[in-house]
Amino acid sequence: MGRMDNFSPVNYGELVQEDRIHGSLYVNPQVHEDEMDRIFHKGWVFVGHDSEIPNPGDYVTRMVGKQSVIMIRGKDNQVRVLLNRCKHRGNQLCNQKEGNKKALVCPYHGWAFSIEGELKDVPYSGGFDRDLSEYNLEQPRTDSYRGFVWACLAQEGISLKEHLGRATELFDRACDLSPSGELNLSAGWDRHLYLSNWKMLPENDTDGYHVNFTHQSFVQAIDSQYGDFVQEEETIEGVVIDWGMGHTEIDFSRGYKEPLKWLGVSPEKVPEYVEAMVALHGEEKAMEILRIGPPHACIFPNLFLGEMNIVIFQPESIGTSVQWHTPMFLKGAEQLNYRLLRQSEGAMGPTSFLVADDATIAQLTQRTLEEGEPWCDMSRGMNREVEERNGNLVSHMTDETNNRGFWKHYKEVMAN
Ligand code: FES
């Protein structure tokens, strides 16, 4: 198939097949426009975590597709997502990434909105006799699960609960590692520019096949859970999972025999944390939670529960994207959080092992697809994946069962 006309309708039913994906889906600008509309504007998009804005007036700005939004805590302590667009003539209200505000004042003509989004004051009001309440800031549908705040620009459609489906279990697994049951994303975010299409990020982050090749130096240098990848194929116990609705996981826990293997320490090294978990859950359950550890899972479309990191995928254009990441601190486990910060820097910081490897591979793949748009094979493991009782499809850690799950859901969204 030759290069496609960038402005002709894209036939997603033809280009996403059960065992292969057409390369044009990473390089055709029309695909980016369609994704903005069908995935990022009509569907649920992860915005931020409520622990990022603990006090009234605290806010962060984020992108939901092409739309800038403000996630802000009101005086009533409620977290709201507001469109970052003045109701007068559309200027961007808030130009900082984060901060605290007593009011949202437009820099163009000074219209002032409360932190709950209500229009409170119009300068030189003699020339404006409209009802102010008709000019409150727009709010997308907003919902949250265990502190993870999501927004949907479309007022109609499925609920967040329906969108997350069975994958709420993955959020539970992350939050239940905290002695308070709550996370604390207070370390700030690093952002990395990827010169590749955004879909390569969730594809790669739950790709168990690449680790021993792309990250060979990391695997050899660090004694971590990724050491499993240097084993023979038959002895690898971890699996990949298609959770449905485009949510995907590498489940390392099936290979963990001891508590805290995912953290790279023994329980004796972090006694306060272990004691707090035992006090909350009892010995047996605490040890099982600590054995299983955090999820390594992508939640469609833009969130990665990356073990002890939280990651956001932000599409910028068909060929560029930004990956945000922050360490996943556990509220009430301060002894652990310093270690988590250092581990996060080592794994995903600007001079880290993993991100540079992945970004380079993604950039090289993007470049070759721009040159030729071949079909990308995704058949690995179709001969051995199995459906578990809860409906999840599971296969060997090096298989592409989870990536097929991502694309199956993508096709459903994009073709309809
Ligand atoms: Fe905001 Fe005019 S555009 S006050």
Side-chain angles (χ1 to χ4, degrees), residues 6 9 12 17 35 41 45 77 123 125 154 167 169 202 209-210 212 250 269 273 275 323 328 368 376 379 402 409:
N6 289 345
Y12 294 95
Q17 299 183 4
E35 289 172 349
H41 292 172
V45 176
N77 217 26
S125 58
E169 187 182 312
Y209 198 18
H210 76 294
N212 204 23
I250 300 178
K269 282 273 175 31
Y273 172 55
E275 281 165 25
Q323 179 164 281
M328 188 178 88
T368 61
C376 302
S379 65
N402 49 359
H409 183 67

Side-chain angles (χ1 to χ4, degrees), residues 122-129:
V122 172
Y124 307 117
S125 58
F128 186 76
D129 59 3

Side-chain angles (χ1 to χ4, degrees), residues 251-373:
D251 183 6
F252 292 101
S253 72
R254 302 191 190 199
Y256 294 161
K257 306 288 183 267
E258 306 293 331
L260 296 172
K261 177 137 194 279
W262 47 274
L263 192 62
V265 298
S266 61
E268 298 75 46
K269 282 273 175 31
V270 285
E272 292 169 23
Y273 172 55
V274 173
E275 281 165 25
M277 291 294 284
V278 170
L280 184 67
H281 296 289
E283 176 84 17
E284 192 178 342
K285 187 172 174 202
M287 288 303 152
E288 181 61 2
I289 291 172
L290 295 178
R291 185 192 65 77
I292 292 171
H296 184 112
C298 287
I299 309 298
F300 193 88
N302 68 325
L303 172 64
F304 176 32
L305 303 174
E307 301 184 48
M308 301 313 286
N309 295 281
I310 300 296
V311 177
I312 302 173
F313 311 127
Q314 181 180 313
E316 292 277 309
S317 70
I318 189 65
T320 58
S321 46
V322 176
Q323 179 164 281
W324 301 51
H325 80 93
T326 191
M328 188 178 88
F329 287 164
L330 306 176
K331 196 170 166 186
E334 278 62 39
Q335 182 197 28
L336 207 60
N337 289 338
Y338 179 77
R339 169 182 282 273
L340 296 177
L341 176 61
R342 295 281 93 87
Q343 284 191 347
S344 179
E345 289 166 343
M348 304 194 79
T351 56
S352 67
F353 287 92
L354 298 174
V355 169
D357 292 342
D358 288 329
T360 302
I361 289 291
Q363 182 176 341
L364 293 171
T365 308
Q366 184 77 23
R367 189 186 300 166
T368 61
L369 292 175
E370 285 169 357
E371 287 165 2
E373 300 177 3

Side-chain angles (χ1 to χ4, degrees), residues 86-93 106-113 123:
C86 179
K87 289 288 284 187
H88 178 215
R89 278 164 43 193
N91 187 51
Q92 184 162 295
L93 270 176
C106 180
Y108 196 0
H109 310 100
W111 280 27
F113 301 85

Side-chain angles (χ1 to χ4, degrees), residues 210-222 230 353 357:
H210 76 294
V211 178
N212 204 23
F213 306 98
T214 305
H215 304 301
Q216 197 171 68
S217 56
F218 176 80
V219 171
Q220 288 171 351
I222 306 284
V230 299
F353 287 92
D357 292 342

